[in-house]
Amino acid sequence: MLKTPRGPISKVAAALSSLVVFAVGGRRLAARADEIGGVGPWSPALPIPSRTPFIGAVVRRGDEVLPVYDLAARLGVRVAEGASLCLVAKRRDGAMAVCIDAEIPTLHAVDPAGIRPASRQDPDMAGICMIGGEEVPVYSLAMLGLGAKPTAQR
């Protein structure tokens, strides 16, 4: 059992999953907190030629240069105008930058049993969860884009 300065944490609380809810093009999405490497201000992206679906740019974040996964294009939406944020996705083969709406992401503790399988065929979607009375799709950032097929060079 975990302990805090106020006393022990119940096994039920310890069994909860942490999800981060963020917005892309006004659509609320969620991802497991352990698949997010951080959130910060968006920097201008540098376009690059690529055959990898939805990756056509890189962005500098500190000393790193990260590929940009265009989740907005993948979802068929546009990131809201104005200041955007950079969400760093801890993908299985390395970190990637994802441009998200300027709305600050929020952390939610949910019962893993409350995440049910997605009804549509989407290789990036891990499931659907009720958060704040709304059904929110839960995306697997660790697998983001790995199920997509290559496209012609841009």
Side-chain angles (χ1 to χ4, degrees):
M1 188 178 302
L2 298 175
K3 293 186 180 184
T4 67
R6 291 189 213 140
I9 297 176
S10 72
K11 289 180 182 179
V12 173
L16 295 177
S17 291
S18 295
L19 295 179
V20 174
V21 176
F22 56 96
V24 175
R27 290 180 58 185
R28 285 173 36 108
L29 310 171
R32 290 179 32 178
D34 62 350
E35 293 182 354
I36 296 175
V39 176
W42 183 256
S43 300
L46 176 65
I48 59 168
S50 175
R51 290 186 202 177
T52 307
F54 305 107
I55 297 177
V58 293
V59 68
R60 186 173 191 93
R61 183 164 159 84
D63 292 339
E64 291 183 289
V65 175
L66 302 175
V68 175
Y69 186 83
D70 194 347
L71 184 56
R74 163 79 172 70
L75 298 172
V77 298
R78 297 186 82 159
V79 173
E81 293 293 323
S84 300
L85 295 175
C86 176
L87 181 144
V88 177
K90 291 186 197 174
R91 204 167 87 156
R92 157 177 106 175
D93 59 354
M96 291 179 54
V98 178
C99 185
I100 64 172
D101 294 353
E103 176 184 331
I104 302 294
T106 56
L107 182 65
H108 298 267
V110 299
D111 181 349
I115 302 172
R116 56 189 198 286
S119 58
R120 67 177 201 243
Q121 296 293 344
D122 184 339
D124 295 329
M125 193 182 299
I128 297 174
C129 185
M130 287 295 286
I131 297 175
E134 176 185 1
E135 282 193 338
V136 178
V138 179
Y139 278 79
S140 172
L141 297 183
M143 301 294 289
L144 192 62
L146 293 176
K149 303 217 180 332
T151 59
Q153 192 165 357
R154 296 180 208 180

